[in-house]
Amino acid sequence: MKVPPFILASGSPRRRELLEQAGLRFRVETDDVEELDNPQLTPRELCRANAFRKAQVVAMRHPEQLVIGADTLVHLGSQALGKPGSHAEAARMLRKLSGRTHEVTTACCLTRWRPPQRVFFEETTMVRFAVLNDVQVRRYLAAIDPMDKAGGYAIQHHGEWIVEALEGSFTNVVGLPLERLRHELAAWRDREMI
């Protein structure tokens, strides 16, 4: 499926890898946009706001280009689990997720300033963790770097050690729901051709 080239407004190496593996044409450009962390917003609202903020800043510099911003959150009910500030915090997050089902939501904002066009979508995947003991938590955290990962884990790196079941998009948990993104990019292309 041929889709338009775009600018990815994200410095996430995982998003870049997913897009490269999918063979999509893009380049990366980021800005230091401070992510919102507002307890008054639901995790989905927070993801959507942060995806928009990332995309908007880059789109203002390239008004005729398609820009994609994305934001991913791990949440247990209404409690968002962001990126841990320490290994100890990552261990607390994994213990909190142990034996429970949580959600991973990614919001994407596709935008262009001229002519103005904007599309939002969110994808949520249900992830059930195995029951983890302290030894398993330590072993997992010794094998990965949890510091830049929402929820303190990376499903693509030894996910089989901690995840019992997954319902929904695997790539969404990695950081970008590729299946849905391809669909939205194709729809964008089709609107351009009208």
Side-chain angles (χ1 to χ4, degrees):
M1 172 189 313
K2 190 169 171 61
V3 296
F6 57 90
I7 299 172
L8 176 65
S10 170
S12 165
R14 288 161 299 286
R15 290 188 182 117
R16 190 169 47 249
E17 287 168 14
L18 286 169
L19 293 170
E20 287 169 353
Q21 290 168 4
L24 298 175
R25 295 177 299 148
F26 71 100
R27 66 186 174 88
V28 174
E29 187 170 327
T30 62
D31 202 299
D32 289 330
V33 176
E34 188 175 337
E35 291 188 4
L36 296 176
D37 185 16
N38 184 338
Q40 302 301 316
L41 299 176
T42 68
R44 284 179 183 83
E45 290 168 337
L46 244 138
C47 282
R48 191 177 176 118
N50 284 323
F52 170 71
R53 289 163 56 90
K54 294 173 189 178
Q56 177 184 15
V57 172
V58 174
M60 288 170 63
R61 289 196 301 261
H62 305 281
E64 296 177 3
Q65 299 272 319
L66 169 58
V67 176
I68 298 176
D71 190 61
T72 302
L73 265 182
V74 170
H75 48 109
L76 194 54
S78 63
Q79 181 187 13
L81 301 176
K83 297 172 185 173
S86 66
H87 275 330
E89 187 179 2
R92 282 192 297 275
M93 287 180 178
L94 294 181
R95 286 186 197 100
K96 184 175 284 201
L97 296 171
S98 173
R100 300 173 78 179
T101 299
H102 63 276
E103 297 172 85
V104 179
T105 298
T106 301
C108 292
C109 174
L110 286 68
T111 190
R112 183 185 59 214
W113 280 88
R114 281 196 302 258
Q117 190 172 345
R118 186 173 299 133
V119 173
F120 285 99
F121 70 88
E122 297 94 29
E123 187 83 20
T124 298
T125 302
M126 306 298 285
V127 180
R128 178 162 183 79
F129 262 31
V131 175
L132 305 174
N133 61 37
D134 287 345
V135 172
Q136 291 169 307
V137 168
R138 282 195 303 274
R139 176 179 171 229
Y140 182 75
L141 292 177
I144 69 145
D145 177 13
M147 302 308 289
D148 69 338
K149 295 163 183 71
Y153 75 96
I155 196 167
Q156 71 276 21
H157 298 296
H158 304 296
E160 69 279 6
W161 294 359
I162 58 173
V163 173
E164 196 171 83
L166 181 139
E167 184 182 322
S169 168
F170 176 84
T171 63
N172 180 52
V173 183
V174 177
L176 200 60
L178 276 181
E179 308 84 358
R180 179 74 184 272
L181 180 60
R182 281 181 177 276
H183 171 77
E184 296 295 341
L185 285 168
W188 185 285
R189 178 207 58 207
D190 292 346
R191 284 189 297 272
E192 297 285 297
M193 296 172 68
I194 294 174

